[in-house]
Amino acid sequence: MGRVAIITGAAEGVGQAVALQLANEGAAVVLADCQEDRLLKVTTELRELKHEFLALPTDVTNENSVMELFQQSLSHFKRIDILVNGAYLCCPAPVEDVTEGVWDNCIRTNLVSTFLCSKAVVPTMLAQRHGRIISFSSVDAIDGLKNAVHYAAAKAGIIGFSKALAIEVAPFGITVNTICLDEHSEDSAATLEQSGRHQESVGSAVFLASDAASYITGQMLVLNGVTELR
Amino acid sequence: MSTAGETKIAVISGGAGGIGRAVVSRLSDLGFFPVMLDNNEAAGKIVIEALRNNGTKGKFLAVDVTHKSEVQDAFNAVQRHSGRIDLLVNLAGGTLHAHAVQDFPLVEWLRVIDVNLKATFLCCQAVLPLMKAQRGGVIVNTSSNFGVTGSPTRTAYSAAKAGIVALTRSLALESRSYRIRVNAIAPGLTATERVMKLYTRENWAMQADSIPMKRVAEPSDIADGVAFLASDDSRFMSGQTLHVNGGLVLP
């Protein structure tokens, strides 16, 4: 396949699941995460499967760290076809307990990281006249959620950001889409393990990364698992 | 349909149209046995011929999908023959008539609603008992960006396509405990003969230029979206509308 994908938040959860699937389908993957020990575990699995990969400890809220991630990836693989913004942080708290620090941390990890990574990858994708940017949002951005004003705001920000970027880069063969996950639904929690739920979203991410989705941009796929609810 | 039980059966209403042909061909490539319901028998024969040339098979049933009894008979025939229906794709529809609202004859307005919205309802209604008995199935309906944005002179078409979004959501909730997924696809401006002949060459180029991706959709783009919604890759998606429009509308 020869595609190169960078996945942030790749050490666990949905980022990890998407990274493994893209690798299984033949893409070279760059795994970025701030949790070095967890990252090591994922790379062990990739090595056993003989996949082509790089694992780069990264602070996605820091522009210098992000620039380094993209420069190293580019110098190693010579191109970047896919960016998956999977870095994610959710610390539920009632609004009166959301200090400025908690707010900033949530906005930075979820939203600002998406901006910084997209900003870093766009020049490469523009030069290639091809690219796929896929970011993970949440149904909480649409429906709201108790004790999650900061999280809902950050995740809604990802949707707005992605739509605007989609229009900006659409003429150049770059698509930008979001996947809204349902992380908190009691119904889906009752029927699916955490890892299973992440697995449910992998197919959609891989589809958006594929040639089959070349005319889909600025859209969000809402994965609320309605058929899985009982 | 000799391989019933192994081959997945797909029923495609409007399967002989421009998008329909691409969807039928794509589903056939994926191993589905396509059954087309369409009132255009001549076009249907061409699709069957194309499948045969490709070494596969399909079936064409001449059906007016706005007539309940014809729809029911068609689904009964498919069920008798194949025993199951795994996928229903409702593609039948079209703008048909466009007038300023004060000039829109009621009979034409209702015809647009029937061909788009009622046909979708009738086909869903006909397939659901079988899918419920199977405890599984996938339905893909066809909406449009006009269902979100509206369009001058297209009050009927826009209303029908918005109706399909709401019908899709309701049906997804209604049938969720039977493991039946119901989603819609919303194509943007698509290069089919029927649509292209409405534009001059110059006008068509202007339309394409007004789309963020600077091109119109090919029928294969829409077929790719339908194939995704029909596949397990979208198994956690139901009640949703997938817009395939090059960034034209971002709902």
Side-chain angles (χ1 to χ4, degrees), chain A residues 21-71:
Chain A
Q21 186 59 34
L22 285 170
N24 283 335
E25 299 200 359
V29 291
V30 181
L31 294 88
D33 206 295
C34 59
Q35 307 175 85
E36 289 191 44
D37 47 336
R38 280 180 176 274
L39 204 51
L40 206 64
K41 278 189 195 159
V42 185
T43 56
T44 308
E45 193 170 339
L46 285 169
R47 194 169 290 118
E48 280 167 8
L49 295 166
K50 300 198 187 314
H51 290 316
E52 208 179 346
F53 71 92
L54 271 184
L56 300 173
T58 307
D59 176 0
V60 287
T61 67
N62 178 298
E63 185 157 26
N64 290 330
S65 182
V66 168
M67 291 308 287
E68 201 175 323
L69 163 69
F70 284 84
Q71 276 158 14

Side-chain angles (χ1 to χ4, degrees), chain A residues 149-217:
Chain A
V149 288
H150 45 334
Y151 184 69
K155 288 297 191 183
I158 289 174
I159 295 170
F161 171 80
S162 298
K163 287 183 181 187
L165 183 61
I167 297 170
E168 195 172 316
V169 299
F172 311 107
I174 304 170
T175 68
V176 187
N177 293 289
T178 52
I179 296 175
C180 292
L181 298 179
D182 182 355
E183 304 102 327
H184 310 290
S185 158
E186 284 174 23
D187 283 336
S188 49
T191 53
L192 288 161
E193 294 293 318
Q194 183 78 9
S195 61
R197 197 148 73 247
H198 289 139
Q199 210 55 43
E200 298 299 333
S201 57
V202 166
S204 298
V206 170
F207 166 69
L208 288 175
S210 75
D211 287 342
S214 61
Y215 201 61
I216 299 174
T217 196

Side-chain angles (χ1 to χ4, degrees), chain B residues 73-220:
Chain B
D73 289 348
F75 279 87
N76 288 344
V78 178
Q79 185 175 356
R80 264 199 316 277
H81 214 220
S82 65
R84 60 181 297 113
I85 297 172
D86 299 281
L87 171 66
L88 165 64
V89 185
N90 284 306
L91 286 170
T95 303
L96 297 189
H97 306 290
H99 307 288
V101 73
Q102 66 273 20
D103 303 326
F104 221 128
L106 178 61
V107 62
E108 289 188 4
W109 210 90
L110 288 174
R111 181 70 189 150
V112 176
I113 297 291
D114 284 357
V115 167
N116 291 283
L117 184 55
K118 184 178 176 181
T120 301
F121 161 68
L122 288 176
C123 290
C124 288
Q125 195 183 44
V127 84
L128 271 166
L130 179 57
M131 285 188 172
K132 284 185 176 177
Q134 292 169 184
R135 293 197 67 78
V138 177
I139 297 175
V140 181
N141 297 324
T142 306
S143 182
S144 158
N145 49 308
F146 291 135
V148 178
T149 61
S151 170
T153 75
R154 293 192 182 94
T155 49
Y157 185 67
S158 302
K161 291 303 190 181
I164 286 171
V165 170
L167 179 150
T168 297
R169 283 186 178 281
S170 302
L171 209 52
L173 292 166
E174 211 173 295
S175 51
R176 66 184 182 179
S177 56
Y178 298 92
R179 309 191 72 83
I180 299 166
R181 295 192 298 113
V182 189
N183 289 294
I185 191 155
L189 190 62
T190 307
T192 62
E193 285 161 29
R194 191 177 70 189
V195 171
M196 286 178 78
K197 74 179 182 206
L198 301 175
Y199 295 85
T200 64
R201 185 186 288 264
E202 235 176 29
N203 234 316
W204 186 252
M206 267 170 56
Q207 291 289 328
D209 204 52
S210 71
I211 298 165
M213 287 191 92
K214 303 293 175 196
R215 70 173 179 93
V216 300
E218 294 301 324
S220 62

